[in-house]
């Protein structure tokens, strides 16, 4: 990306962050104390949008697939879980501190950013050889070599401007805490860095109690925690976030077919949500984690470039096998069709609820000029919009508020509705555009005569006259998840 393009894109992200705060979507956590890095809170409209996205994912998984059921596992798990999963020994990032600014950086990110600057300045070959050298050093776990690369390249701390670096050290990303009230008895446990392990350790519980037959899946939505060193790009990389993961258990040998199927299904889901084709791409992993035999990411073009929103991994039998070894409890399934016991293989689909939220927000954010005037609105699909309709009496008198409240009473049990009577109708429309309400329903004097209202459409600003008796049916049709489901 050229530098000027990059500046414009970052300005767009700044606008989106400011909009999210100003209009009740996302605030920095504990802001009155100047916030906490990489931790955010969702406001009145943010929580509605996030809940709608989570519900859409949940229903896609558990309603559209009769062979997928849900689970809600705890955040705390027995500490051996994380030994078995490999997180205690290898869930690390290489980090380096600048001795003058006392700031900590991810060593690989420092080199990658330096390479990106070199590439932007036109020397693509040197940038490529630098990233290749970094990949070789990381592969060989040569941390001293990574430090030498940083110093030899003259990479400076952006804060202090010096190259006074510490050694590079591995830094485990898991948060730990103590369980137990008496300090001598207390033992270290971790805040889960992924929800997946809660599914793996419950694999047999769910299989038996829900009477599932392979192939089947277990879906879960829940918090995960990672002590990310580089906390940037708003809610893209958080320290406390939510994951929506589905583990699909299959017969060994059939996993690559299922991997293909899930990769395609998940791509379709993103398109059905209204993400344009040119803003989505799949990135197939060439270098695979030791437990995977295929892996890909679904990437979205954020204002800061194409980045991962969801990962699809064929995780083999690594996790169940490892839990079997560490727990000494068999993690096998008896397959009546082939009369065999085996440890199933697993396809995982894993998406961050917060990243999905950010993608949805970036995709919905529209700034346009109409008749020389700037207009900003959020073009959410009606099924996921935080507020479905605003009921607006034209004036505060002549019985219009009472008539409008009758409409609210009729709709509020099934839809998230706003009633507003203050300010001019134009101002009220603008306010609803800014939070992405797809329909504004105006009650005027004609309403009192013929029981009709105007519906003003957010994206086109066009208005139509509709009978009050048709409103419920119209909203049900327009705001139903079914409209999205049918496109998957
Ligand atoms: N169980 C597999 C797993 O956890 P991952 O690629 O590390 O894989 C899956 O994470 C998804 O979780 C990512 O695609 C992303 O959407 C989300 N995610 C991961 N780390 C995150 C973070 N620090 N902040 C927000 N979302 C994150």
């Amino acid at each position: 990306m050229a530098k000027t393009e990059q500046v414009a894109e970052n300005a767009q992200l700044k606008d989106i962050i400011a909009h999210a705060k100003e209009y009740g979507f996302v605030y920095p956590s504990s802001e009155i104390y100047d916030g906490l890095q990489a931790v955010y809170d969702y406001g009145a409209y943010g929580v509605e949008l996030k809940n709608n996205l989570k519900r859409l994912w949940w229903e896609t998984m558990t309603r559209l697939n009769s062979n997928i059921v849900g689970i809600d596992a705890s955040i705390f798990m027995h500490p051996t879980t994380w030994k078995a999963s490999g997180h205690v020994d290898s869930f690390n990032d290489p980090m380096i501190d600048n001795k003058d600014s006392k700031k900590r950086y991810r060593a690989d990110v420092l080199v990658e950013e330096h390479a990106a600057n070199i590439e932007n300045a036109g020397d693509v070959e040197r940038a490529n050889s630098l990233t290749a050298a970094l990949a070789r050093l990381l592969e060989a776990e040569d941390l001293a070599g990574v430090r030498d690369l940083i110093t030899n390249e003259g990479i400076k701390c952006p804060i202090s401007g010096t190259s006074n670096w510490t050694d590079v050290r591995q830094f485990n990303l898991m948060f730990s805490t103590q369980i137990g009230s008496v300090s001598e008895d207390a033992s270290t446990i971790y805040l889960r860095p992924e929800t997946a392990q809660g599914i793996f350790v419950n694999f047999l519980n769910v299989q038996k109690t829900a009477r599932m037959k392979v192939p089947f899946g277990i879906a879960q939505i829940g918090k995960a925690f990672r002590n990310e060193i580089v906390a940037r790009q708003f809610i893209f990389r958080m320290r406390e976030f939510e994951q929506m993961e589905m583990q699909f258990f299959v017969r060994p040998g059939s996993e690559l077919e299922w991997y293909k199927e899930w990769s395609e299904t998940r791509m379709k889901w993103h398109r059905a949500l209204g993400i344009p084709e040119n803003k989505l791409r799949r990135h197939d992993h060439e270098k695979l984690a030791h437990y995977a035999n295929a892996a890909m990411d679904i990437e979205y073009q954020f204002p800061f470039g194409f980045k991962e929103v969801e990962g699809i991994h064929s995780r083999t039998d690594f996790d169940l096998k490892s839990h079997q070894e560490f727990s000494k409890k068999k993690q096998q399934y008896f397959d009546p069709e082939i009369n065999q016991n085996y440890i199933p293989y697993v396809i995982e689909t894993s998406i961050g609820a917060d990243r999905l939220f950010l993608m949805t927000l970036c995709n919905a954010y529209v700034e346009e000029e109409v008749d020389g005037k700037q207009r900003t609105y959020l073009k959410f699909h009606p099924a996921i919009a935080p507020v479905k309709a605003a009921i607006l009496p034209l004036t505060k008198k002549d019985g219009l508020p009472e008539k409008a409240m009758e409409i609210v009473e009729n709709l509020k049990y099934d839809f998230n509705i706003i009633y507003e009577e203050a300010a001019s109708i134009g101002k009220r429309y603008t306010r609803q555009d800014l939070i992405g309400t797809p329909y504004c329903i105006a009650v005027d004097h004609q309403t009192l005569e013929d029981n009709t209202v105007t519906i003003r459409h957010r994206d086109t600003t066009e208005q139509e006259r509709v009978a009050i008796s048709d409103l419920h049916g119209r909203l049900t049709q327009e705001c139903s998840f079914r409209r999205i489901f049918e496109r998957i």
Side-chain angles (χ1 to χ4, degrees):
M1 198 187 289
K3 224 172 191 153
T4 43
E5 272 175 60
Q6 227 169 21
V7 171
E9 304 277 71
N10 286 335
Q12 199 205 3
L13 180 67
K14 273 198 187 133
D15 287 348
I16 291 172
I17 297 172
H19 190 98
K21 178 155 185 275
E22 173 103 19
Y23 297 104
F25 285 87
V26 183
Y27 319 116
S29 158
S30 20
E31 198 187 2
I32 57 168
Y33 297 105
D34 297 331
L36 183 65
Q37 246 206 341
V39 187
Y40 291 89
D41 298 338
Y42 287 84
Y45 306 115
V47 69
E48 294 288 343
L49 175 62
K50 195 176 180 201
N51 283 343
N52 289 344
L53 289 168
K54 289 196 290 186
R55 202 162 54 83
L56 179 72
W57 181 89
W58 184 261
E59 292 189 7
T60 306
M61 287 298 173
T62 62
R63 285 214 192 151
L64 300 196
N65 299 284
S66 58
N67 59 353
I68 299 181
V69 290
I71 189 179
D72 184 15
S74 302
I75 287 169
F76 292 147
M77 298 182 72
H78 191 286
T80 310
T81 309
W82 306 110
K83 264 301 229 195
S85 68
H87 284 82
V88 170
D89 295 322
S90 50
F91 194 50
N92 299 318
D93 274 344
M95 52 138 222
I96 191 165
D97 291 13
N98 182 271
K99 292 181 192 165
D100 299 320
S101 67
K102 311 268 184 280
K103 287 276 170 203
R104 178 166 293 173
Y105 300 93
R106 250 178 72 176
D108 53 336
V109 172
L110 273 185
V111 178
E112 275 163 11
E113 283 182 347
H114 180 64
N117 289 339
I118 292 173
E119 187 177 335
N120 284 336
D123 197 344
V124 179
E125 209 173 305
R126 200 163 94 75
N128 286 345
S129 87
L130 198 58
T131 43
L134 174 69
R136 274 195 305 276
L137 291 166
L138 291 174
E139 175 84 34
E141 294 183 20
D142 182 356
L143 298 183
V146 176
R147 183 184 189 276
D148 288 346
L149 193 65
I150 290 171
T151 46
N152 293 344
E153 284 293 319
I155 299 176
K156 294 191 168 56
C157 164
I159 308 286
S160 67
T162 71
S163 302
N164 195 6
W165 298 110
T166 61
D167 287 342
V168 176
R169 280 166 295 167
Q170 289 291 14
F171 180 78
N172 194 288
L173 298 188
M174 283 195 295
F175 284 101
S176 61
T177 185
Q178 302 291 313
I179 197 162
S181 52
V182 187
S183 60
E184 303 87 70
D185 295 341
S187 58
T188 301
I189 55 162
Y190 301 99
L191 272 67
R192 63 180 177 195
E194 62 170 10
T195 55
Q197 297 305 324
I199 291 180
F200 288 124
V201 300
N202 276 298
F203 152 70
L204 279 180
N205 277 340
V206 175
Q207 187 269 316
K208 285 180 183 149
T209 55
R211 295 182 293 119
M212 305 306 284
K213 285 202 174 81
V214 165
F216 76 94
I218 306 178
Q220 175 171 216
I221 300 179
K223 290 265 184 177
F225 303 83
R226 295 182 190 178
N227 201 357
E228 301 281 2
I229 301 162
V230 183
R232 276 183 319 185
Q233 291 155 340
F234 192 35
I235 55 172
F236 181 81
R237 198 174 300 285
M238 302 159 90
R239 294 196 167 120
E240 174 182 340
F241 57 100
E242 259 179 301
Q243 282 188 318
M244 307 196 285
E245 298 200 291
M246 195 280 295
Q247 263 61 40
F248 199 73
F249 299 89
V250 303
R251 208 178 267 174
S254 68
E255 72 275 10
L256 292 180
E257 264 167 65
W258 281 110
Y259 167 74
K260 186 166 176 284
E261 167 122 6
W262 276 111
S263 313
E264 287 164 7
T265 306
R266 293 304 302 153
M267 279 298 274
K268 268 197 219 157
W269 189 83
H270 287 269
R271 288 190 206 110
L273 202 56
I275 309 299
E277 195 66 52
N278 64 337
K279 293 231 158 197
L280 270 184
R281 74 178 186 196
R282 72 177 274 168
H283 165 71
D284 291 286
H285 290 204
E286 279 163 26
K287 193 171 163 277
L288 295 170
H290 58 285
Y291 54 78
N293 63 2
M296 59 91 91
D297 298 333
I298 298 176
E299 296 185 338
Y300 170 74
Q301 190 176 24
F302 288 99
F304 40 87
F306 270 103
K307 297 276 176 210
E308 171 186 346
V309 178
E310 172 159 9
I312 323 267
H313 312 121
S314 172
R315 287 181 80 129
T316 67
D317 58 353
F318 172 83
D319 301 86
L320 288 181
K321 208 156 134 191
S322 188
H323 286 305
Q324 175 168 288
E325 260 167 52
F326 276 81
S327 68
K328 311 225 171 359
K329 310 250 166 46
K330 278 217 155 50
Q331 297 299 307
Q332 286 189 339
Y333 166 78
F334 176 72
D335 190 330
E337 277 180 34
I338 53 170
N339 217 17
Q340 258 181 37
N341 274 308
Y342 55 77
I343 298 178
Y345 272 44
V346 172
I347 309 302
E348 163 183 84
T349 74
S350 176
I351 178 165
D354 311 272
R355 261 188 217 179
L356 172 62
F357 181 103
L358 184 58
M359 173 175 80
T360 309
L361 188 61
C362 291
N363 194 52
Y365 188 80
V366 181
E367 274 179 330
E368 63 183 22
E369 216 178 275
V370 182
D371 302 331
K373 275 197 195 147
Q374 191 76 10
R375 180 165 103 97
T376 303
Y377 65 102
L378 298 177
K379 198 177 170 180
F380 297 125
H381 190 297
I384 55 160
V387 177
K388 306 303 184 202
I391 317 297
L392 314 171
L394 199 59
T395 66
K396 284 193 216 169
K397 45 186 201 259
D398 303 334
L400 297 187
E402 290 76 8
K403 190 76 187 167
M405 281 312 290
E406 277 175 30
I407 298 174
V408 171
E409 276 303 310
N410 181 34
L411 297 178
K412 74 177 186 189
Y413 299 98
D414 298 302
F415 308 100
N416 193 26
I417 299 290
I418 280 184
Y419 171 83
E420 214 172 24
E421 57 181 33
S424 73
I425 193 85
K427 275 203 181 124
R428 283 181 277 165
Y429 285 157
T430 302
R431 177 144 180 85
Q432 296 307 317
D433 284 349
L434 291 165
I435 61 169
T437 306
Y439 309 107
C440 282
I441 297 170
V443 175
D444 54 22
H445 291 92
Q446 190 183 330
T447 311
L448 302 178
E449 285 162 24
D450 64 4
N451 277 316
T452 63
V453 287
T454 58
I455 297 188
R456 183 243 190 208
H457 296 261
R458 175 197 63 202
D459 302 351
T460 57
T461 72
E462 275 167 14
Q463 303 195 10
E464 60 172 324
R465 202 86 204 167
V466 173
I468 291 176
S469 54
D470 288 343
L471 283 177
H472 195 283
R474 277 287 293 271
L475 286 186
T476 303
Q477 199 188 3
E478 305 278 328
C479 302
S480 160
F481 280 172
R482 197 186 174 115
R483 285 182 63 207
I484 298 179
F485 290 154
E486 281 171 351
R487 296 176 60 198
I488 299 172

